[in-house]
Amino acid sequence: MTAPPTDSPNHVLLPDWVTADPGGSLSVSAGAGSGKTTSLVGRVAALIETGGVPPSELVVITFTEKAAREVSHRLRQRLGNVVSLDEAYIGTIHGFCQSLLRRYPIEAGLPPRFTTADELTSGALADERAAQVVQELYNKAAKEPAIEHALTVMASFGAMMFLPDLVRAIDNDWLRFTEVELDRPVSIEVAHSTVMRMLGQVTMDPRYVSASQAMRNKIDTAVAVAKQAFDFVDSVPALARVATKLNTYPPTPPWGPLRDTMRYACFQPALDRLMAALVPLVVDAAHGRITRGELSFDDLLVLTRRMLRTRPDIRTLVRARHRHLFVDEFQDTDQVQFDVLTELTSSVAPNPASMFAVGDPKQSIYGFRGADVGLFSSLLAADPSRQELTVNRRTSADV
Amino acid sequence: MNKIEASWVRPGRGVAVAVAAAVSELQGPDRLAEVIVVVPPGGTAATLRRLLPQVSGGVAGIRFLTPIDLAVELVDSSVSTMRAVTTQLQLAAITAVLRSDECPEALLGVRDHPATIDALVDMALSLRAAHVHERALTALAGEPGSVRSALVEVVRRARQRLVELRVRDESATLAAVEDVDESVLAALRVVLVVTDTFHPAQVGFLRRVADQSQCRLVSIVPAATDSSLIRQLGELGCGEVPQSPTTTAPRVVSCPDPDEEVRQVVRWCAALIDDGVPADDIAVICAAQSYRRPVRDELQRAGIAWSGGAVEKLLGSVAGQVLRHLVDGIVGEWDRPNVFRLLSVAPMYPIGDLGAPRRVGQWTTLCRSLGLVSEADWSAATARLEAAQSARRQRWGDDPDDAPSRREAADTQGLDRLLKLVERLRNQTGRIMKAKTWAAATKALGSMLEDHIGVSTWRERAWADGPAWQRNAADHVEHLVAGLAELDLDGVAVPFTASTMRQVVGTLVDTPVRRRGDAAGAVSIADIGGAVCIDARHVFVVGVNEGVLPATAVDDLLLGRDLPEPAASVIEGPRARASRAERAWNALLASDATVTATFARTDLRRGGEVYPSPLLVGMSIERHESHADGLINGQALTTSERLARDDLALSHSSRLARRVDALRARLNPEATEFDGIVGPHPSLAPPGKVWAITAVERQAACGLGYFGPHVLGLTDETDPAAILSIEPAQRGTLVHAVFELVATEWLALAEEGRPPWLHGDHLTATHERAIEVLDQLAADIGSQHRLGHEAAWAAERVHILQSIAAALDHEASEGSRPVAGEHSFSGVEVGGVAFRGKIDRIDLMPHGALRVTDYKTGKVTASKDPLSGGQSLQLPLYARAADHDRALLTGSENGGWPPATARYLQVRDAGVKAVEVALDAALIGAFEAYVAQWLDEIAAGQFSPQPHPPNGRCLMCCVDSLGVEELAERARHFSGRANGSEESE
């Protein structure tokens, strides 16, 4: 699939397919130093110069402000002063979503004007918010025994300190939790009977059968204690102890999976219960931000996605204005960002925008932000005309 | 209309000369004849006020007016005497429309959002002059039924309500001024100064003024690219605009980051002043508002007077913060955090017999130690203080009937004052909550405000040394609060509730307050928009970065980048603001001033690397490398910097002297005491000292970590108000205490009557006793708010009890029996040095050896290095101590028994895990070597900090507040050198 390179106007060798049909959609897998940004700039320039497309129709998404400036700088060098890039959007996806929300705030359910905290401030505010939500959860637990039970289970695992992390995870994509039905938290009684059933099956498990006698004795003791436990909350630590005993065994089958199964059985009902209690608190906090017009960094994405999904009229307007999307470092895209791009480019709705997506499946650096390299892989897999850039322009042949 | 002959001048001083000439011409022989100088917004008026006396010998008869002020003076008294519109009235009118049936359908979903009201108040301000042009508003509104049309409709209807209440706005004035007779205008002597564009809605009126024979027009020569100013000059009647003036390229300097950029500019200012340049001749222009505060702060730190038209939000002022904290407390509750946030902002005004100042620092310490957090705690505060004082007396063996000590008396008096203040706040809040009208609530809120920022006459005196703008802002806040009563007005009435009051106050404190010049002989600070006519021989422009100068134009629903005609002719849009910045830049380069432009290369707040403005393309750029460069090679900004750099002695202020030493230390290529190398001192390791092994472990982990608590005696404690769930250390203390009590209670029984340890009924009884003990201990800790939230503690309690139960069951299966719980020992020697300590548990094992147990509530993992590089030294010492005290513990002599063994017992996760540590000869050898090494370091006064783990900072990190990363870097550097030399040996 790799085409022989040709000399590009930037004096860097680019394959012909980069500029052959600059207005069409294309997914490109590109290794480190193979000229991702150069290809992107070359294609944008070709679209303006030979395609005659006005810059206002272009959206170039990069994953950092720095990369956006680099692209702008190279485009300015490439196009000179003849073409003004002022009307093109070149920047991060957060900035792009912000510009859409500023144009259609009421349609997005926002006040006519809003402010957005930058990434650093958003992080600090999210920490404060998480502490506040946990405090509210504790207030709720004082009135609702089911939540209190769930907290006890968390404490049994020494996991209370992770509650703020759980809140932040919900907060990052809070709107999703209002759009999908959460798994109904199982009652403590149901959870208890499930665990009991599982305990009854332990001795039939081939992994148990193949264990040493000493290990079987340990498991027998722990299972007996767990079965005698008065209720679910009491049985959890007993189960956890079984799992803990299994910790001393290798994590490979049969011990690792057996331990994980047991831990999961202990933990999941409590986690479901806490999620059901936390989500409304997080969503309330998000609605508070909306009414005050003080959005967080992540709100920009989730609210844009909602607007594009629920307001076809706005999606049509956006598609009509932004006809061509160019996405650099696509491997760093997370699910919400992917959804936003899909809303603009999917052919399910009329008049889809084209998308030139370039990335390196081996180079994702934003895993901590939720980037999912699998999204890029699936995009590549679904594109029969996908291309690959392989020439390394950063290192010499000797290296 | 006539063609107007303008005087064309270069920006800056040239404007003043031309205006002086025009004034002189209009006054003729009557030097006191009134001349009105009409100026655009920005710094023009300030520059002319300062320069006119210098270039013309006086300002007698001259009045500076904005176009709208002039119009108000000219219109019929039926208009000029109407009530002027205020932000409160605007807000009330918009709120009333949004809450009524008149609210357009498009806004129904967001009409209750406070941000919607804020945005519409802003929009009303932007459209304040547009109502005289119905077609312009229609054009702005766009398609009927659209969102923008709905917004415009709300503003229109709100204005209509205000008009019915006989409230005057800019549109009303501009409409009325059209009726002013030409003869009135002809009688005026006016100099129209064009250094910037006027508001487009005012141009028609100004054209009539300019057309009069007694009007002179003075204008800067616009840059050829400045189409908006050229167009406006045409509209004012000017003919051909002269060719643009020649410009001089500025000196451009790239700086490492915005902080150092500002500091470097201030260093240059200081150097100029040292060279005899008057401060008035220096100006610092901020490309973005965010630069104002750092510029002002650094000038202040450097002791350089500053002045200027920088604008702050009321919220940023002392009075604005007081008001915000007041409404937070009123709507929320007067718990300790809310009370102290309020009291700490402005603690100086004497309140009745409670006097001043309010000693928030002292009260904070007191409240923390008494565990006062929530509003409910105030009622128990006095009892808690008495109990704490009584407990202290008991601990020290003092007679409970003795007179209170000075500290006790001070604490009692301080708490009494604090409680009275809280009571006062609660009473005042009660009055507001009962209020039915804004007038009643405003009265009570005004009284609360006065308690904290005082009255105007007091502020004039007490805040005299502070910046004048803070006094202006306080006056402004007082007026805003008083003006809330306008929300009761029929027609725009907003029902009063405390939460509505918070919303309204939130909007009001978001308004700007203009800062006036504080002193003559000061460096001018101006925004880029106000720099178009700044007069200074030395101008520094900070923040000349891409996206900052000119600022990126943002799409806005209300006022888009490109306003449709005819709206553009009466509304000032974002593009006009952007072109104002560019105009100022061009004016600076065309002026006679020496211009230095700086930009930052990195800015973490903006995502790392940043770039210079496109305005600098093609200019040569100097590079200012680093922070250290500025200090070593640049002008010292503060007294301590100067003393440090010039190596001057200092004796009168020990605090300043230490600061100087710290700065010098940072410039020293060798390690100093600020790197923890304090040198030997007899007090560090006195002969005969009995050591605690935990202290030695702390030295191993980080020298400064030892130095703070063990040499300086510093302690750090989390504020109970911030504890959501029990802290790990507190959990450990509880678990240890439970094990100690159950063991010591059993040991206290007569040996013959003791039940077998943890057998049969005793195990059951011990389980129950553990619960009792835990609950008793927790009750004490809980009264200090150190257990966290009740629900969190309820969950943790179950977990802790499960863990303890598991540990007891585990122990029951082992067949050992305790011989001591929390056994204190002293005088056990390691390498000739005596140690003391406390062993969590010592058991006698069936084979006759002793076993020491160290309980851990944190994670313990078996490691190949049980001593953790010298940071885990307790177990070898404890085993040695157990054998040392064997006779005492068991009643039998040492001879013949195997040596004591040692283990960690992890008690957590509702379970237990034992980790044995093999005390073989190699480990004991390593243990003794480590102890000797760390004690040698302590004796030698070597307290090098170790790079801390992320989020693992302690109170000793960054002792000199010069940057924790820099300190860690030095630590790495010096420890790396030491390691290197060891390796080479």
Side-chain angles (χ1 to χ4, degrees):
Chain A
M1 209 171 272
T2 308
T6 58
D7 197 5
S8 84
N10 272 350
H11 308 293
V12 176
L13 298 176
L14 282 178
D16 286 340
W17 50 258
V18 170
T19 53
D21 175 21
S25 288
L26 187 63
S27 311
V28 180
S29 164
S34 62
K36 283 195 291 284
T37 309
T38 306
S39 305
L40 187 142
V41 167
R43 194 170 172 93
V44 173
L47 191 60
I48 294 172
E49 287 180 329
T50 60
V53 170
S56 60
E57 290 188 3
L58 306 181
V59 175
V60 182
I61 302 283
T62 60
F63 274 80
T64 61
E65 295 285 356
K66 181 182 172 184
R69 291 198 183 92
E70 173 70 15
V71 169
S72 297
H73 181 67
R74 285 163 74 165
L75 274 172
R76 271 200 207 106
Q77 278 188 327
R78 173 73 184 75
L79 298 168
N81 291 330
V82 182
V83 179
S84 164
L85 290 171
D86 284 358
E87 299 298 323
Y89 178 82
I90 304 173
T92 62
I93 192 156
H94 289 87
F96 177 60
C97 289
Q98 179 168 261
S99 73
L100 294 184
L101 293 176
R102 285 204 190 289
R103 239 181 286 155
Y104 307 108
I106 308 294
E107 292 84 348
L110 289 168
R113 198 174 274 166
F114 57 86
T115 58
T116 312
D118 61 27
E119 193 174 1
L120 288 176
T121 314
S122 278
L125 292 175
D127 286 343
E128 274 179 29
R129 217 160 44 235
Q132 192 154 0
V133 167
V134 171
Q135 170 97 39
E136 287 172 32
L137 177 77
Y138 290 157
N139 291 342
K140 237 176 162 176
K143 296 171 201 151
E144 295 181 35
I147 299 174
E148 192 188 342
H149 272 129
L151 283 175
T152 309
V153 173
M154 293 288 281
S156 300
F157 287 94
M160 295 286 271
M161 69 179 85
F162 299 118
L163 276 175
D165 295 334
L166 183 60
V167 174
R168 294 217 37 184
I170 301 169
D171 203 19
N172 283 347
D173 193 4
W174 60 269
L175 203 49
R176 188 163 65 91
F177 292 92
T178 64
E179 290 167 351
V180 298
E181 193 176 350
L182 282 174
D183 289 342
R184 285 168 62 85
V186 294
S187 71
I188 295 297
E189 291 73 25
V190 172
H192 188 223
S193 70
T194 306
V195 170
M196 288 300 138
R197 194 170 59 249
M198 201 194 75
L199 288 176
Q201 292 166 351
V202 166
T203 53
M204 290 178 276
D205 192 306
R207 295 168 291 192
Y208 172 87
V209 176
S210 66
S212 68
Q213 186 58 48
M215 187 61 198
R216 286 209 297 262
N217 289 343
K218 284 183 181 177
I219 295 175
D220 288 346
T221 309
V223 167
V225 172
K227 281 183 170 176
Q228 287 159 14
F230 177 68
D231 63 15
F232 177 73
V233 170
D234 281 350
S235 71
V236 163
L239 277 171
R241 274 199 291 282
V242 180
T244 305
K245 281 184 197 306
L246 292 171
N247 268 342
T248 56
Y249 280 66
T252 48
W255 308 115
L258 182 59
R259 182 193 59 206
D260 292 345
T261 309
M262 287 182 144
R263 278 192 175 269
Y264 183 82
C266 300
F267 207 70
Q268 196 57 39
L271 195 59
D272 287 349
R273 175 69 63 189
L274 288 177
M275 287 291 283
L278 284 171
V279 165
L281 298 176
V282 175
V283 171
D284 277 356
H287 284 149
R289 291 198 296 279
I290 288 174
T291 59
R292 293 191 306 275
E294 295 165 357
L295 303 192
S296 76
F297 206 51
D298 291 321
D299 288 340
L300 296 171
L301 298 174
V302 296
L303 291 171
T304 303
R305 180 180 60 184
R306 179 176 72 175
M307 179 177 75
L308 294 174
R309 276 185 181 166
T310 58
R311 294 291 301 255
D313 54 332
I314 301 300
R315 187 177 58 206
T316 303
L317 288 172
V318 175
R319 283 181 173 211
R321 174 160 172 178
H322 301 297
R323 302 288 311 122
H324 304 281
L325 271 57
F326 296 80
V327 187
D328 196 10
E329 309 288 2
F330 201 98
Q331 76 280 357
D332 289 326
T333 303
D334 68 18
Q335 184 66 51
V336 190
Q337 296 165 354
F338 186 83
D339 292 345
V340 169
L341 296 171
T342 305
E343 287 301 325
L344 299 182
T345 57
S346 160
S347 54
V348 173
N351 205 18
S354 74
M355 181 163 72
F356 177 77
V358 59
D360 179 356
K362 293 176 190 158
Q363 239 193 359
S364 180
I365 56 171
Y366 285 108
F368 66 91
R369 266 197 207 164
D372 182 356
V373 75
L375 295 168
F376 185 43
S377 303
S378 62
L379 184 79
L380 284 170
D383 183 358
S385 59
R386 65 185 173 275
Q387 294 287 356
E388 192 176 356
L389 276 170
T390 52
V391 181
N392 189 329
R393 290 179 168 79
R394 286 189 196 152
T395 51
S396 68
D398 293 344
V399 177
Chain B
M1 293 276 181
N2 303 319
K3 278 284 176 218
I4 307 295
E5 285 301 323
S7 302
W8 300 101
V9 294
R10 291 172 78 89
R13 186 165 286 253
V15 178
V17 174
V19 169
V23 168
S24 175
E25 185 196 340
L26 289 170
Q27 285 179 325
D30 179 5
R31 307 306 293 172
L32 294 179
E34 182 182 86
V35 177
I36 296 167
V37 178
V38 178
V39 289
T44 304
T47 302
L48 292 178
R49 274 199 190 92
R50 193 164 73 82
L51 287 181
L52 279 178
Q54 295 173 26
V55 298
S56 70
V59 287
I62 298 178
R63 287 203 301 143
F64 293 93
L65 292 179
T66 62
I68 206 70
D69 291 338
L70 175 60
V72 170
E73 290 196 0
L74 298 176
V75 297
D76 187 87
S77 61
S78 64
V79 175
S80 62
T81 55
M82 286 164 73
R83 179 203 289 252
V85 69
T86 61
T87 314
Q88 293 95 318
L89 282 170
Q90 198 75 265
L91 188 145
I94 280 168
T95 308
V97 172
L98 286 175
R99 290 186 177 178
S100 72
D101 295 342
E102 291 183 344
C103 177
E105 195 180 342
L107 300 182
L108 288 178
V110 297
R111 65 173 166 177
D112 293 331
H113 296 183
T116 301
I117 299 170
D118 285 358
L120 280 160
V121 170
D122 276 356
M123 189 178 186
L125 196 69
S126 300
L127 302 185
R128 65 192 186 278
H131 297 277
V132 279
H133 298 271
E134 190 53 37
R135 281 180 49 240
L137 278 185
T138 306
L140 181 71
E143 289 175 29
S146 68
V147 170
R148 198 192 281 187
S149 135
L151 294 168
V152 172
E153 192 54 32
V154 172
V155 173
R156 270 181 171 149
R157 289 181 179 175
R159 180 174 187 263
Q160 190 53 41
R161 288 182 179 228
L162 293 175
V163 168
E164 286 163 11
L165 289 171
R166 291 194 47 75
V167 173
R168 161 174 58 83
D169 63 3
E170 210 164 289
S171 288
T173 305
L174 288 173
V177 86
E178 285 181 15
D179 298 332
V180 172
D181 197 79
E182 289 296 314
S183 60
V184 176
L185 296 179
L188 300 173
R189 296 185 188 87
V190 177
V191 180
L192 189 56
V193 184
V194 185
T195 49
D196 205 343
T197 48
F198 288 96
H199 190 290
Q202 300 163 355
V203 173
F205 164 58
L206 292 175
R207 172 68 171 118
R208 285 180 65 204
V209 173
D211 219 23
Q212 306 304 319
S213 61
Q214 292 206 88
C215 178
R216 300 290 177 271
L217 195 146
V218 174
S219 174
I220 59 167
V221 182
T225 52
D226 192 351
S227 55
S228 51
L229 183 56
I230 292 172
R231 189 177 60 243
Q232 202 170 86
L233 283 165
E235 288 165 1
L236 288 172
C238 292
E240 197 71 15
V241 173
Q243 209 171 2
S244 357
T246 52
T247 57
T248 313
R251 177 188 180 196
V252 183
V253 181
S254 142
C255 297
D257 59 38
D259 291 332
E260 180 57 13
E261 181 189 0
V262 169
R263 288 171 65 78
Q264 186 56 34
V265 164
V266 174
R267 285 189 190 101
W268 283 323
C269 294
L272 285 169
I273 292 168
D274 282 357
D275 287 346
V277 174
D280 303 87
D281 257 348
I282 304 170
V284 181
I285 309 297
C286 303
Q289 290 186 3
S290 54
Y291 278 89
R292 275 191 222 129
R293 191 179 290 272
V295 167
R296 190 189 65 206
D297 290 350
E298 289 297 342
L299 283 170
Q300 203 143 329
R301 283 188 66 214
I304 299 172
W306 52 268
S307 66
V311 176
E312 293 276 354
K313 292 280 170 101
L314 270 184
L315 186 57
S317 70
V318 168
Q321 288 180 54
V322 165
L323 181 60
R324 195 194 58 180
H325 292 320
L326 279 174
V327 291
D328 282 351
I330 290 165
V331 177
E333 59 174 16
W334 289 115
D335 58 7
R336 199 240 299 162
N338 269 344
V339 168
F340 281 19
R341 267 193 286 270
L342 167 69
L343 297 184
S344 58
V345 178
M348 298 308 291
Y349 186 65
I351 303 175
D353 58 351
L354 296 175
R358 297 179 269 291
R359 301 190 184 283
V360 180
Q362 179 203 350
W363 293 344
T364 304
T365 311
L366 190 61
C367 287
R368 280 187 180 196
S369 68
L370 298 177
L372 303 178
V373 176
S374 67
E375 190 163 6
D377 289 333
W378 296 123
S379 57
T382 308
R384 281 193 203 171
L385 178 63
E386 284 167 5
Q389 290 179 341
S390 161
R392 193 182 298 133
R393 283 180 173 222
Q394 209 171 355
R395 199 161 56 245
W396 294 104
D398 293 343
D399 188 336
D401 296 328
D402 279 354
S405 67
R406 271 177 61 191
R407 181 184 163 181
E408 285 172 338
D411 284 352
T412 305
Q413 195 185 8
L415 185 64
D416 184 54
R417 277 189 66 207
L418 173 61
L419 293 176
K420 282 180 178 160
L421 275 171
V422 172
E423 196 50 35
R424 189 176 173 96
L425 284 169
R426 290 160 89 172
N427 290 339
Q428 289 165 323
T429 300
R431 284 210 294 281
I432 291 177
M433 299 308 277
K434 280 185 204 154
K436 297 274 187 289
T437 62
W438 285 94
T442 300
K443 197 172 166 193
L445 183 62
S447 141
M448 286 179 101
L449 191 65
E450 185 186 312
D451 273 359
H452 300 280
I453 63 167
V455 293
S456 181
T457 47
W458 175 81
R459 287 195 297 271
E460 283 301 324
R461 199 173 58 253
W463 294 10
D465 293 338
W469 79 274
Q470 289 283 11
R471 297 195 294 276
N472 299 339
D475 294 345
H476 198 149
V477 166
E478 276 181 347
H479 287 129
L480 283 177
V481 168
L484 289 178
E486 291 182 329
L487 300 182
D488 287 329
L489 273 181
D490 282 343
V492 294
V494 178
F496 172 79
T497 65
S499 60
T500 310
M501 183 176 75
R502 178 151 76 168
Q503 280 179 22
V504 170
V505 164
T507 302
L508 295 181
V509 294
D510 199 35
T511 56
V513 55
R514 187 152 285 280
R515 305 172 56 126
R516 295 190 192 117
D518 289 329
V523 171
S524 308
I525 306 173
D527 288 338
I528 187 70
V532 71
C533 184
I534 199 138
D535 172 70
R537 291 182 204 283
H538 303 273
V539 176
F540 298 94
V541 190
V542 292
V544 190
N545 278 91
E546 187 180 52
V548 180
L549 182 68
T552 310
V554 179
D555 259 335
D556 186 288
L557 173 70
L558 309 180
L559 300 173
R561 270 188 271 184
D562 294 303
L563 296 174
E565 283 296 345
S569 58
V570 284
I571 301 166
E572 203 164 44
R575 227 180 256 288
R577 288 192 282 276
S579 61
R580 180 160 288 150
E582 215 163 325
R583 181 173 308 123
W585 172 256
N586 289 329
L588 286 173
L589 300 192
S591 72
D592 297 329
T594 308
V595 179
T596 303
T598 58
F599 67 89
R601 296 189 292 274
T602 55
D603 185 351
L604 286 178
R605 282 158 291 205
R606 295 178 59 219
E609 196 171 350
V610 288
Y611 295 87
S613 162
L615 296 172
L616 301 178
V617 169
M619 297 181 186
S620 71
I621 296 173
E622 297 170 32
R623 194 176 163 91
H624 173 58
E625 286 297 338
S626 72
H627 285 245
D629 272 5
L631 183 56
I632 297 165
N633 306 318
Q635 184 77 12
L637 289 185
T638 58
T639 309
S640 51
E641 279 188 11
R642 186 165 55 78
L643 293 166
R645 211 194 52 168
D646 299 344
D647 211 18
L648 298 174
L650 186 82
S651 58
H652 67 277
S653 163
S654 57
R655 184 179 288 189
L656 195 54
R658 295 307 292 166
R659 173 85 185 155
V660 171
D661 288 346
L663 284 166
R664 281 180 188 153
R666 281 300 169 87
L667 300 176
N668 196 330
E670 299 299 324
T672 71
E673 65 264 43
F674 289 90
D675 299 300
I677 314 300
V678 303
H681 189 275
S683 67
L684 293 173
K689 178 178 166 90
V690 181
W691 294 83
I693 197 70
T694 45
V696 179
E697 286 178 344
R698 201 171 262 191
Q699 167 72 16
C702 173
L704 280 181
Y706 174 90
F707 184 70
H710 296 280
V711 179
L712 302 181
L714 304 179
T715 54
D716 194 15
E717 206 173 53
T718 312
D719 181 353
I723 298 175
L724 271 180
S725 58
I726 188 169
E727 293 188 302
Q730 202 76 59
R731 189 190 295 123
T733 305
L734 276 175
V735 170
H736 277 76
V738 170
F739 283 119
E740 179 195 356
L741 270 172
V742 294
T744 50
E745 283 174 358
W746 182 79
L747 286 166
L749 298 173
E751 198 163 348
E752 57 277 14
R754 271 185 206 153
W757 172 248
L758 299 183
H759 271 262
D761 290 345
H762 183 247
L763 179 60
T764 311
T766 308
H767 275 297
E768 286 167 7
R769 179 65 186 141
I771 297 172
E772 279 174 24
V773 170
L774 181 76
D775 288 342
Q776 279 165 11
L777 296 168
D780 285 347
I781 298 171
S783 68
Q784 306 291 313
H785 284 271
R786 294 200 171 273
L787 291 176
H789 194 286
E790 276 176 28
W793 168 243
E796 289 278 7
R797 177 181 173 276
V798 174
H799 164 229
I800 291 172
L801 284 174
Q802 285 167 343
S803 303
I804 291 174
L808 291 173
D809 291 344
H810 175 81
E811 211 178 308
S813 69
E814 288 183 320
S816 59
R817 70 176 176 87
V819 292
E822 293 291 318
H823 172 66
S824 295
F825 66 88
S826 185
V828 175
E829 290 199 356
V830 180
V833 177
F835 279 86
R836 61 182 166 80
K838 217 178 230 188
I839 304 170
D840 291 347
R841 240 325 251 290
I842 306 177
D843 291 302
L844 185 62
M845 302 302 288
H847 61 284
L850 294 174
R851 181 187 63 193
V852 299
T853 297
D854 194 34
Y855 294 111
K856 294 285 181 196
T857 48
K859 278 231 187 258
V860 179
T861 47
S863 161
K864 284 181 185 167
D865 175 14
L867 300 180
S868 313
Q871 295 182 37
S872 301
L873 302 173
Q874 291 174 53
L875 288 186
L877 176 70
Y878 292 171
R880 185 175 293 191
D883 284 336
H884 180 269
D885 290 354
R886 182 176 178 105
L888 178 73
L889 293 165
T890 64
S892 60
E893 291 304 319
N894 286 352
W897 300 108
T901 60
R903 66 171 182 173
Y904 294 110
L905 199 65
Q906 176 191 291
V907 185
R908 57 172 287 153
D909 297 349
V912 65
K913 180 171 121 185
V915 177
E916 308 282 342
V917 172
L919 302 173
D920 54 26
L923 184 131
I924 296 297
F927 159 69
E928 291 178 347
Y930 278 129
V931 170
Q933 184 182 346
W934 305 145
L935 288 177
D936 284 351
E937 277 192 9
I938 293 171
Q942 293 178 9
F943 302 112
S944 296
Q946 297 302 312
H948 49 75
N951 304 323
R953 291 175 185 169
C954 73
L955 80 166
M956 286 303 291
C957 280
C958 193
V959 281
D960 52 9
S961 72
L962 292 177
V964 69
E965 292 308 325
E966 199 175 323
L967 187 67
E969 184 54 44
R970 282 180 71 87
R972 272 191 289 272
H973 172 68
F974 294 123
S975 70
R977 190 167 59 177
N979 292 341
S981 61
E982 274 173 17
E983 280 168 17
S984 64
E985 284 165 9

